[in-house]
Amino acid sequence: MKKLFVSIAAASLLVSGAFASVASKAESNKAVAQAKTEVKKEQKELKIVQEAVDAVALTNKVLAELEKGNKDQAIKDLEDAIGKLEVVLSAPNAPALIPIDSTIEVVDFPGTLQDIKTAIISVKALLAQNKIQEARAILDTLRSEIVLKVVNLPLASYPAALKLAAKFLHENRINEAKNVLNQALATFVEVDVVTPIPLLQAIHLVEVAQKEAKKDKKKALDMLDEAKRDLKKAEALGYTSDSDTTYKMLEDMIEKVEKEIKGKNRAEKLFEELLEKLKEFKEKAVKKINK
């Protein structure tokens, strides 16, 4: 009978742990969903310059017309494209890069911290054998991030390229005009804004723990435990921050909150300090990458 009670108790603990894990995972997923919504909002607020978009479309049309031998129409379209960019250039404080398109990419590494460590060991072994492409295939999976990709037209060079192409067309130097236009279309600059998902999840989990600390200690502690795992995951994936705060400092702060919850449970100020540091750390971990 005693063994039966022990078995039931053990099973109860396992079920409880499973529910806790499910709850924290659900909150982590909620954090990603909220972050996606925020990035989509940023994307909507991004000012796509229609004149620049039209100029690019006309550039492609010019190339198509030239392939058909319609030089006169190509010249007309090219002049229209140049005119549209003149409008952009005439704007006060026109930026060097003009947004013409944007997309959102979400990549979330599905494995555990141990999976990341194992993958890194494999990559190092492959690199030691000069198996670069095999290593690259693994490295490409070691990402957990939301990326806002913005394609930009370089205002310093694109209009000049169109004018040069127009000059060549007037001189009947068709192939040279085509080359200039194709080169211009290859000069777009992609700017990626990369936000690490594990940091977003850690912040959200701490916020949930803050709300639950007085009502449900166990749930709060489970959330904090998951937040620590997310921080370790972010660190293992190589996401760095320009903050003076370190991953170790954040983990120590979480452990301090956990200790307080287990004790007198007066962790309000500790939560505020932790969230302030976490958010500052995350903001300075967001990277802009020009491609």
Side-chain angles (χ1 to χ4, degrees):
M1 182 64 72
K2 186 176 180 181
K3 285 184 179 179
L4 178 61
F5 283 137
V6 170
S7 298
I8 291 171
S12 176
L13 284 171
L14 285 171
V15 171
S16 174
F19 278 132
S21 178
V22 169
S24 59
K25 291 297 180 189
E27 291 297 342
S28 291
N29 292 337
K30 192 183 293 184
V32 177
Q34 289 174 353
K36 282 185 197 174
T37 302
E38 286 298 313
V39 174
K40 283 179 182 176
K41 185 179 175 184
E42 287 178 36
Q43 186 184 31
K44 283 183 181 178
E45 291 172 354
L46 186 70
K47 189 178 178 184
I48 300 296
V49 180
Q50 192 57 47
E51 289 86 355
V53 174
D54 293 343
V56 172
L58 283 165
T59 304
N60 283 303
K61 187 169 181 284
V62 167
L63 285 167
E65 293 292 350
L66 290 175
E67 286 300 319
K68 296 174 187 175
N70 299 334
K71 188 182 84 168
D72 291 343
Q73 183 60 47
I75 290 173
K76 183 179 180 303
D77 290 337
L78 195 51
E79 288 172 349
D80 285 347
I82 292 168
K84 288 182 180 294
L85 290 179
E86 289 294 339
V87 172
V88 180
L89 281 164
S90 66
N93 302 317
L97 296 176
I98 305 296
I100 57 173
D101 193 18
S102 67
T103 56
I104 296 171
E105 179 188 30
V106 180
V107 183
D108 193 7
F109 183 79
T112 63
L113 179 62
Q114 187 55 50
D115 292 331
I116 295 169
K117 290 178 179 178
T118 301
I120 291 170
I121 291 169
S122 298
V123 167
K124 288 179 178 177
L126 288 166
L127 288 174
Q129 299 170 55
N130 204 35
K131 294 181 178 179
I132 310 299
Q133 297 310 314
E134 290 92 331
R136 180 184 174 186
I138 297 173
L139 277 173
D140 283 345
T141 68
L142 296 178
R143 299 165 58 205
S144 188
E145 59 199 33
I146 297 176
V147 187
L148 175 58
K149 297 172 175 281
V150 182
V151 179
N152 301 273
L153 179 149
L155 201 54
S157 60
Y158 199 88
L162 297 194
K163 289 176 183 177
L164 179 59
K167 176 179 179 293
F168 285 153
L169 287 181
H170 283 296
E171 295 171 355
N172 207 34
R173 296 158 67 181
I174 308 298
N175 286 334
E176 288 167 273
K178 286 182 185 178
N179 288 338
V180 169
L181 292 174
N182 280 314
Q183 287 171 18
L185 289 169
T187 61
F188 298 146
V189 179
E190 182 182 309
V191 179
D192 291 355
V193 181
V194 181
T195 304
I197 287 175
L199 297 183
L200 296 171
Q201 291 170 322
I203 291 169
H204 180 74
L205 288 163
V206 171
E207 288 174 337
V208 173
Q210 184 182 33
K211 291 175 185 174
E212 296 292 336
K214 293 293 185 184
K215 298 180 290 183
D216 189 339
K217 279 189 179 186
K218 187 176 185 313
K219 183 176 179 181
L221 290 169
D222 287 335
M223 296 297 151
L224 291 172
D225 196 47
E226 187 68 23
K228 284 193 292 187
R229 278 194 286 273
D230 282 326
L231 288 177
K232 288 183 183 296
K233 186 175 180 180
E235 185 175 21
L237 288 171
Y239 293 111
T240 59
S241 174
D242 295 329
S243 170
D244 292 332
T245 305
T246 64
Y247 280 107
K248 178 68 168 61
M249 289 165 67
L250 291 172
E251 288 174 32
D252 288 346
M253 289 179 78
I254 291 176
E255 286 173 3
K256 193 173 179 181
V257 174
E258 288 174 324
K259 185 177 179 181
E260 180 60 32
I261 291 173
K262 291 173 184 175
K264 294 180 180 179
N265 200 8
R266 296 173 184 167
E268 293 86 352
K269 193 170 189 313
L270 292 176
F271 267 119
E272 287 173 11
E273 291 171 353
L274 171 59
L275 282 168
E276 183 182 347
K277 288 292 185 184
L278 263 174
K279 289 175 182 179
E280 185 254 355
F281 185 87
K282 188 271 290 182
E283 287 303 317
K284 292 184 178 179
V286 174
K287 305 294 184 187
K288 273 191 177 183
I289 303 169
N290 285 20
K291 290 187 174 180

